[in-house]
Amino acid sequence: KAGVTQTPRYLIKTRGQQVTLSCSPISGHRSVSWYQQTPGQGLQFLFEYFSETQRNKGNFPGRFSGRQFSNSRSEMNVSTLELGDSALYLCASSYLSGTGGYEQYFGPGTRLTVT
Amino acid sequence: AQTVTQSQPEMSVQEAETVTLSCTYDTSESDYYLFWYKQPPSRQMILVIRQEAYKQQNATENRFSVNFQKAAKSFSLKISDSQLGDAAMYFCAYRRLNSNSGYALNFGKGTSLLVTP
């Protein structure tokens, strides 16, 4: 079974621009979560989607948004980029069935650099 | 909110030796999951081991085992017979057992493990 894929792997953007990152979960997985990883703040939860619905959102400004499609693929968007948005963005997928399927499998990440 | 604390920013171990990484957490819930993830230089997060809080038996996966002390809210990872490939950042993570508002992982700051020949 193919793992979680994220595209692009590397991205360089300028302050003020916007960016869209994509995540394809493991086949059959319906939950997708996004995390931001920086040296200063560590791993922080951004949001989680399940069956095209956002179930949970972390403490990030409204510039960070996401969505999930009917095939469970997810995108996250960051508008009006700031230097502090430079980070590794990790996507994780999970099967989730009741209280089971709790393991999250991570993709390789997208390294975003804002200049 | 649940917080996860890893008090050892860096640890070092010799090949073939045993090392223990510490993790404590704060929660008011009685049922939850705990995980250890490994992040090598490739940055790919890999699940090492998981523990359900309602299970008293400590989880074991080959050379990796945990010491889960629920009352003390402690969840340490023991790596036996350390190998060079074990060198990585190790993250402890907490997740609620059951929540309509999602299943976000709360991560600690990580412990960087160096394995020397």
Side-chain angles (χ1 to χ4, degrees):
Chain A
K1 213 179 233 187
V4 179
T5 58
Q6 292 186 245
T7 56
R9 293 292 310 279
Y10 302 92
L11 206 49
I12 299 175
K13 290 286 189 179
T14 305
R15 269 182 302 177
Q17 288 185 316
Q18 74 165 18
V19 67
T20 299
L21 311 181
S22 179
C23 172
S24 292
I26 293 171
S27 178
H29 285 196
R30 297 161 63 193
S31 169
V32 173
S33 297
W34 289 89
Y35 297 85
Q36 182 196 65
Q37 185 176 23
T38 60
Q41 298 299 316
L43 281 151
Q44 292 185 287
F45 170 74
L46 278 158
F47 25 65
E48 177 194 355
Y49 288 88
F50 181 76
S51 293
E52 301 179 65
T53 301
Q54 186 180 88
R55 288 156 54 92
N56 197 5
K57 190 178 193 305
N59 189 24
F60 278 82
R63 299 184 298 106
F64 291 82
S65 63
R67 60 177 174 169
Q68 186 180 33
F69 302 95
S70 58
N71 62 358
S72 294
R73 190 178 70 85
S74 176
E75 289 182 346
M76 67 163 282
N77 183 275
V78 187
S79 62
T80 319
L81 283 165
E82 300 178 359
L83 294 178
D85 297 333
S86 294
L88 180 68
Y89 290 88
L90 293 166
C91 165
S93 79
S94 181
Y95 175 63
L96 278 186
S97 174
T99 57
Y102 41 75
E103 295 170 4
Q104 291 194 13
Y105 297 87
F106 284 80
T110 294
R111 169 73 67 187
L112 171 65
T113 302
V114 182
T115 63
Chain B
Q2 297 79 19
T3 57
V4 178
T5 302
Q6 294 178 249
S7 59
Q8 307 151 316
E10 293 181 352
M11 291 283 286
S12 181
V13 63
Q14 275 195 311
E15 228 179 336
E17 297 296 310
T18 295
V19 65
T20 298
L21 309 184
S22 300
C23 172
T24 59
Y25 56 94
D26 183 27
T27 184
S28 59
E29 298 172 344
S30 59
D31 288 321
Y32 44 86
Y33 296 119
L34 295 165
F35 305 88
W36 278 97
Y37 279 90
K38 168 185 176 181
Q39 189 179 42
S42 68
R43 308 302 266 174
Q44 175 81 50
M45 293 282 280
I46 302 164
L47 178 64
V48 175
I49 199 166
R50 68 177 185 273
Q51 174 80 43
E52 295 91 332
Y54 55 86
K55 289 185 179 179
Q56 293 186 335
Q57 187 173 7
N58 289 325
T60 300
E61 287 288 341
N62 301 314
R63 299 182 295 107
F64 298 88
S65 62
V66 298
N67 183 5
F68 174 49
Q69 301 289 326
K70 190 173 184 179
K73 296 180 182 175
S74 170
F75 182 60
S76 60
L77 174 70
K78 185 171 83 172
I79 306 174
S80 303
D81 185 26
S82 296
Q83 300 174 359
L84 294 177
D86 294 334
M89 280 291 287
Y90 285 82
F91 292 95
C92 177
Y94 169 103
R95 207 213 84 177
R96 286 173 165 169
L97 177 70
N98 205 352
S99 171
N100 290 328
S101 59
Y103 297 92
L105 287 170
N106 289 336
F107 285 94
K109 292 292 189 186
T111 295
S112 178
L113 179 65
L114 174 67
V115 182
T116 57

